Amino acid sequence: MAEDTHDNELLVLPPSLRLLAARGMARSHRKGVVLIEEGSVGDNLYLVLAGTLRAYSSDARGREITYGVYGPGEYVGEMSLDGGPRSASVITESASRLVMVTRASLLTHISEHPEFAFELLTKVIRRARAATLSTKQLALNDVYGRLKNLVDQATGDGQHLALTHQGMAQRLGCSREMVSKLVKDLELGGYLRRVAAGEYQRLKTLPARW
């Protein structure tokens, strides 16, 4: 059910997005809700107040590749504001609270705050660049290389890698079975330690090749 947003809810958003969010409607979603389907036509923008969203594509066999994961203060859906089909699907990775803004409301906002158009353009360029890099890594790196990059990025500041094997497979564009084998080998080699379900600690730097 759509609800009015409260001012305190909008504090998680950058100042530039708060005025835009005030033009939309807030709604709570359970985990696993597909908000956007790849190939469909739509022009809504979703601002994240709480929870996590994942943008992905899948093939006929159900294999998925993840383009990005977005949390509070971020937004998704901007890539189809030109009226074209959606370039990726978006699903709620956890229970989430979102503000949906229509294309008409966004255009009104831009007409009143033209500086936001530059911010939106910058976001589109950054995400297009990230998608290009992701595609390049998929083409040039083997699965282990992609797994190493994922572990390095997630644990570079001492944090744990918080992903299930299925979640890793979705990020890496491979099967869960392949991820399970690699992670098991890394555990046996003393590189990773499972500290909880879907959570791993990096004990030492992973080798460049495996």
Side-chain angles (χ1 to χ4, degrees), residues 38 159 201 204:
E38 182 177 4
Q159 299 294 314
Q201 177 186 13
K204 56 184 177 181

Side-chain angles (χ1 to χ4, degrees), residues 143-144 147 151 165 168 176-194 200-201 203-207 209-210:
V143 173
Y144 172 73
L147 176 60
V151 172
H165 289 184
M168 292 184 214
R176 182 180 60 80
E177 291 75 17
M178 185 173 291
V179 168
S180 296
K181 182 181 184 304
L182 284 171
V183 170
K184 185 64 175 178
D185 287 347
L186 290 170
E187 288 184 88
L188 292 174
Y191 294 97
L192 293 179
R193 182 171 70 90
R194 183 176 180 271
Y200 294 87
Q201 177 186 13
L203 301 177
K204 56 184 177 181
T205 301
L206 274 60
R209 306 291 299 178
W210 190 259

Side-chain angles (χ1 to χ4, degrees), residues 33-50:
V33 174
V34 177
L35 301 167
I36 296 172
E37 283 197 55
E38 182 177 4
S40 66
V41 176
D43 57 5
N44 294 327
L45 192 72
Y46 293 91
L47 312 181
V48 185
L49 299 179

Side-chain angles (χ1 to χ4, degrees), residues 17 45-48 73-78 119-120 123 127:
L17 291 181
L45 192 72
Y46 293 91
L47 312 181
V48 185
E74 298 184 285
Y75 57 88
V76 299
E78 77 288 346
E119 179 177 329
L120 187 64
K123 177 73 76 174
R127 289 189 175 170

Side-chain angles (χ1 to χ4, degrees), residues 23-74:
R23 300 176 183 273
M25 294 296 292
R27 183 176 181 179
S28 297
H29 299 268
R30 67 182 186 280
K31 177 182 178 180
V33 174
V34 177
L35 301 167
I36 296 172
E37 283 197 55
E38 182 177 4
S40 66
V41 176
D43 57 5
N44 294 327
L45 192 72
Y46 293 91
L47 312 181
V48 185
L49 299 179
T52 309
L53 308 182
R54 179 170 64 90
Y56 67 97
S57 288
S58 59
D59 63 15
R61 289 184 289 178
R63 295 182 303 180
E64 294 184 358
I65 179 65
T66 296
Y67 299 120
V69 177
Y70 310 101
E74 298 184 285

